[in-house]
Amino acid sequence: MAGKSKPKPEQVGRASELRELLARHNRHYYELDEPLIPDAEYDRLFRELLALESEFPELVASDSPTRRVGGAVSGGFAEVVHGMPMLSLDNAFSDQDVLDFDRRVRERLGTDVVVYCAEPKLDGVAISLVYENGRLLVAATRGDGAIGEDVTHNVRTIASVPLELRGSGLPRRIEVRGEVYMPRQGFLELNRRAQKSGEKAFVNPRNAAAGSLRQLDPAIAARRPLEMYAYGIGQASGGELPDRHSATLQRLREWGLRTSPEAALVSGAEGCLVYYRVLEARRDALPFDIDGVVYKVDDYGCQQQLGFVARAPRWAIAHKFPAEEQLSQVEAIDVQVGRTGAMTPVARLTPVFVGGVTVSNATLHNFAELKRKDVRIGDTVTVRRAGDVIPEIVSVVLARRPPGAAEVAVPAVCPVCGSEVVQAEGQVIVRCSGGLVCPAQRKQALRHFASRRAMDISGLGDQLVEQLVDSGMVKTAADLYCLDQMHLSALERMGDRSAARLIQAIDASRKTTLPRFLYALGIPEVGDATSRLLAREFGSLDKLAAASEEELQAVPDIGPVMAAGIAAFFRQRDNQQVIADLRKAGVGWDESAETARGSQPLRGRSFVLTGTLAGMSRDEAKARIESLGGKVTGSVSSRTSYVVCGEDPGSKLARATALGVQVLDEQGFLALLEQQA
Ligand code: IVH
């Protein structure tokens, strides 16, 4: 259909606007190492322009960002003309895109099944390394694809880039291509140091890597934790090269270069998609950021047959993971009052799909953070959600701030109960001083008390807690045990049956364990691991309540702040009263069990094992899970708590990811066991 109709004036205008926008973002991304918008937003603009151009080819300008790669070459560095252009990759955002890619490849090659080499798509900076007679001659960035910047002085400082290649069969001159990246740990440390010394922090590891490579002084780059993986060969002369990509990777390794250990051969689109799921599940466990997977036709003969279009090869595609950063708008900034009175500003956002879920709230942690990030109502912000981490606002897009965008100040009184707001000296946390007078604190305390790892009262959801507190029926946790069915049934949306079930659940929670009870009390800073520790060390509630700060501090892992907090909690009259009331209401546990048997911290959680663990046999893993109260089952369902994934996992892993079940690698599994011990 292309070219049949003429573009409307607004489409012509939009195309030119998009070209300008993309050029500006390219400059911020590639040349200034300071992107203004998330990658996903860039991709969206890019695709919008691509769609317009493919519908109306007359809109394609020779300098369109869709025809070229990356940024321009800036001053300060010598230029390097690439022997072969450094191209980009087309993107696939869905399974369907991958199926379409594979179909196009098969059709062009006239074959039934294609073997692909699948690799992680590292989120770093593309690099070209020219070796002559085995010695590193020049290292250059991609630049605009044709001409890059000479960053040899900096690349020489990267330990994983060999200055000399070893082994046999080396071409006289060879250009190795790969990605320079900064591992996440190194990035966090770098930013911590930068913040301490008042320097500007980097937005993400990729920008940190790019910024480090573009230092004029190699001494600075040398202090940056950069690493490199090689993923291919550019131009080569004076030697024989393998005829398949996977063999090239093998050869690069033999010559002393690092290549991605995750690279694997897969068969057809099906194989690609399984690889994608497996890697996606491991994404957070990898020590560096990846933003997707690259599939490359393995056979070079086939690659040649397929050739290139505009800026990308037809024989490869990047299958992107759901973006971890997106733009959204701040509709309001509310103040939430937590269980201990801590007041947290929370941004209410226009719902946005990010990191695989829809996000409509992002915590700003505290008022100091709100001020530092300068988030205002009406702002356009970059929202990030990586792995299971709570969504956060990374930064504000200042260029899109509406005039008069309102700042939010620390409230003078608690917005929920009107009590005075206090801030301890030297602390960032601002608190409501209302204690259990404050309905917000009361509600949070009750929610915590009833939560799964505490008293595990199912059916006592957020809404019900609201109703119970707002109606005045429940003030403290002990009041829960005085509720009767008649009063409960009178609540809105509460039928007789649910009331009866709730009464039953409350009743069942009377028989508990000491660690659960301690955790349920909501002692500041005492989580479930510490509760178990305290139960084990002191054996009884009375002994713990009577313990001095010194005695508490004698427990390993209990520091002075926590010891003081625990002692103060048990000294407080209101707390003593609630504990006494709870015990009077029949809440109790078998104290002899605490020291003898431990507290079965994995009770109620089910595990599925797949693949081979390096450090223990399956029986051993099963025994350890069961000794902590957990259960091991053979197949994955939505009720599975964890899938433990070793080497060569089976289809259980794909099923786990499809169902959204949490996947633990060996390290994660060991850490979980350790936590419970
Ligand atoms: S192959 C002709 N393999 O992704 C295509 N690229 O748009 C050559 N990247 O900045 C690229 N990991 O540096 C390839 N395993 C991988 C990669 C990879 C990351 C980067 C590349 C470029 C971008 C492609």
Side-chain angles (χ1 to χ4, degrees):
M1 289 330 105
K4 285 257 168 78
S5 57
K6 280 224 156 294
K8 299 193 188 95
E10 60 268 26
Q11 288 172 315
V12 177
R14 181 63 181 156
S16 119
E17 184 181 24
L18 286 168
R19 273 196 298 273
E20 264 168 49
L21 268 175
L22 288 167
R24 174 152 154 257
H25 289 308
N26 269 343
R27 204 163 57 78
H28 277 272
Y29 182 107
Y30 288 107
E31 293 160 40
L32 307 174
D33 303 321
E34 201 176 50
L36 300 176
I37 52 170
D39 290 1
E41 180 69 10
Y42 179 91
D43 286 343
R44 213 170 357 256
L45 297 171
F46 191 91
R47 269 174 287 154
E48 191 187 338
L49 181 58
L50 262 186
L52 273 172
E53 288 181 347
S54 72
E55 195 179 350
F56 309 110
E58 62 264 51
L59 288 182
V60 181
S62 61
D63 64 345
S64 173
T66 59
R67 306 286 121 169
R68 51 198 291 266
V69 166
V73 176
S74 63
F77 298 90
E79 291 188 350
V80 175
V81 179
H82 298 303
M84 243 165 74
M86 286 183 83
L87 297 176
S88 187
L89 290 168
D90 274 341
N91 290 324
F93 294 98
S94 64
D95 288 5
Q96 189 57 48
D97 289 348
V98 176
L99 293 170
D100 291 345
F101 161 75
D102 174 61
R103 184 181 35 75
R104 288 193 302 269
V105 167
R106 282 185 290 110
E107 280 170 7
R108 281 191 178 262
L109 295 176
T111 46
D112 286 342
V113 184
V114 177
V115 173
Y116 296 98
C117 185
E119 303 166 11
K121 184 171 186 303
L122 296 148
D123 205 1
V125 183
I127 197 84
S128 145
L129 308 172
V130 176
Y131 285 90
E132 226 173 61
N133 299 320
R135 298 183 76 96
L136 177 65
L137 189 69
V138 183
T141 63
R142 184 165 69 161
D144 65 3
I147 301 175
E149 292 166 330
D150 186 338
V151 287
T152 318
H153 57 295
N154 290 332
V155 171
R156 280 179 178 283
T157 68
I158 303 175
S160 46
V161 174
L163 299 178
E164 210 156 331
L165 300 180
R166 55 178 149 80
S168 56
L170 267 171
R172 197 187 52 73
R173 187 184 163 96
I174 181 166
E175 184 200 351
V176 175
R177 289 183 175 174
E179 196 89 348
V180 168
Y181 63 92
M182 191 176 284
R184 232 177 274 134
Q185 191 62 31
F187 163 75
L188 292 174
E189 270 157 35
L190 178 69
N191 263 359
R192 223 170 289 145
R193 270 186 279 146
Q195 245 158 10
K196 248 192 189 159
S197 56
E199 289 164 51
K200 218 169 129 196
F202 285 104
V203 177
N204 55 40
R206 186 199 50 226
N207 288 292
S212 306
L213 266 192
R214 303 171 85 256
Q215 293 292 326
L216 292 173
D217 177 2
I220 300 182
R223 287 198 296 271
R224 302 281 171 83
L226 295 175
E227 291 182 15
M228 188 205 126
Y229 274 136
Y231 57 60
I233 289 180
Q235 241 183 358
S237 56
E240 280 288 298
L241 287 177
D243 56 5
R244 282 175 305 123
H245 177 70
S246 49
T248 294
L249 293 180
Q250 172 65 28
R251 192 65 71 79
L252 290 169
R253 275 193 290 277
E254 288 163 10
W255 290 336
L257 286 143
R258 282 172 80 227
T259 64
S260 181
E262 280 79 19
L265 287 177
V266 297
S267 186
E270 277 297 301
C272 291
L273 295 178
V274 169
Y275 181 90
Y276 177 89
R277 303 237 151 75
V278 171
L279 208 66
E280 191 184 21
R282 292 185 50 209
R283 182 180 188 183
D284 296 321
L286 294 176
F288 43 79
D289 279 0
I290 60 176
D291 59 348
V293 169
V294 185
Y295 313 123
K296 303 172 181 172
V297 172
D298 195 45
D299 185 281
Y300 283 153
C302 294
Q303 284 192 7
Q304 210 153 22
Q305 221 176 310
L306 289 159
F308 297 84
V309 271
R311 63 201 278 280
R314 279 204 199 89
W315 43 261
I317 198 157
H319 189 181
K320 299 292 259 313
F321 290 141
E324 292 183 327
E325 291 186 358
Q326 293 281 8
L327 288 186
S328 178
Q329 263 79 41
V330 178
E331 295 181 350
I333 297 178
D334 291 346
V335 177
Q336 247 173 20
V337 182
R339 183 158 54 83
T340 58
M343 307 214 305
T344 314
V346 177
R348 307 287 177 212
L349 304 164
T350 309
V352 61
F353 190 71
V354 53
V357 299
T358 299
V359 169
S360 45
N361 300 310
T363 171
L364 286 151
H365 302 293
N366 55 58
F367 283 92
E369 173 103 342
L370 173 67
K371 201 170 165 62
R372 189 173 67 75
K373 291 191 170 157
D374 187 22
V375 180
R376 302 187 192 180
I377 300 166
D379 268 340
T380 297
V381 290
T382 297
V383 181
R384 180 175 174 81
R385 183 190 177 270
D388 289 335
V389 183
I390 308 170
E392 63 158 356
I393 290 182
V394 184
S395 58
V396 173
V397 184
L398 284 176
R400 296 204 196 169
R401 172 168 286 169
E407 277 181 82
V408 172
V410 179
V413 294
C414 170
V416 180
C417 69
S419 297
E420 195 192 336
V421 168
V422 291
Q423 184 167 22
E425 223 184 272
Q427 291 217 336
V428 280
I429 307 285
V430 178
R431 288 180 200 279
C432 156
S433 60
L436 286 185
V437 168
C438 177
Q441 293 189 46
R442 226 184 275 156
K443 286 174 191 170
Q444 294 290 354
L446 283 172
R447 279 188 195 124
H448 175 78
F449 184 83
S451 65
R452 208 164 49 85
R453 282 184 289 173
M455 302 299 277
D456 195 15
I457 306 178
S458 58
L460 191 59
D462 287 1
Q463 268 196 350
L464 192 52
V465 167
E466 291 274 323
Q467 284 177 298
L468 290 172
V469 172
D470 291 343
S471 66
M473 284 167 78
V474 170
K475 289 199 172 58
T476 73
D479 296 340
L480 290 173
Y481 295 92
C482 306
L483 289 173
D484 60 39
Q485 187 160 350
M486 198 179 75
H487 286 97
L488 269 182
S489 313
L491 288 173
E492 229 177 285
R493 288 188 299 272
M494 173 67 82
D496 278 348
R497 291 238 320 257
S498 345
R501 262 203 303 270
L502 180 62
I503 295 283
Q504 219 171 27
I506 293 175
D507 197 33
S509 76
R510 283 192 167 91
K511 188 169 159 27
T512 184
T513 66
L514 179 54
R516 279 177 175 270
F517 183 74
L518 288 177
Y519 177 63
L521 289 176
I523 307 166
E525 311 287 330
V526 176
D528 60 347
T530 309
S531 303
R532 282 195 297 277
L533 180 70
L534 291 171
R536 212 171 37 218
E537 288 293 324
F538 291 91
S540 86
L541 180 66
D542 293 340
K543 278 193 195 133
L544 171 64
S548 66
E549 281 185 40
E550 290 72 38
E551 283 167 319
L552 284 160
Q553 266 194 66
V555 178
D557 291 341
I558 306 270
V561 175
M562 206 190 274
I566 297 169
F569 180 90
F570 286 109
R571 265 200 310 271
Q572 236 236 356
R573 294 284 288 278
D574 290 345
N575 293 336
Q576 290 173 0
Q577 188 62 51
V578 172
I579 293 172
D581 289 348
L582 282 167
R583 302 202 74 171
K584 218 179 321 156
V587 175
W589 51 89
D590 179 1
E591 290 205 331
S592 65
E594 297 312 328
T595 31
R597 190 170 42 80
S599 51
Q600 300 236 311
L602 296 182
R603 197 181 70 181
R605 297 201 226 172
S606 67
F607 291 70
V608 172
L609 306 172
T610 178
T612 321
L613 297 175
M616 68 175 94
S617 69
R618 237 175 222 230
D619 284 344
E620 222 176 306
K622 186 161 182 268
R624 289 193 62 179
I625 293 167
E626 288 173 350
S627 76
L628 293 166
K631 211 170 61 190
V632 177
T633 62
S635 62
V636 184
S637 80
S638 57
R639 286 190 305 277
T640 306
S641 316
Y642 302 100
V643 168
V644 178
C645 172
E647 277 296 302
D648 294 326
S651 61
K652 288 173 190 165
L653 179 58
R655 185 158 164 75
T657 11
L659 290 173
V661 172
Q662 190 174 347
V663 177
L664 297 172
D665 62 5
E666 183 157 358
Q667 253 183 338
F669 175 53
L670 290 175
L672 179 79
L673 295 179
E674 197 101 313
Q675 262 173 32
Q676 318 299 332

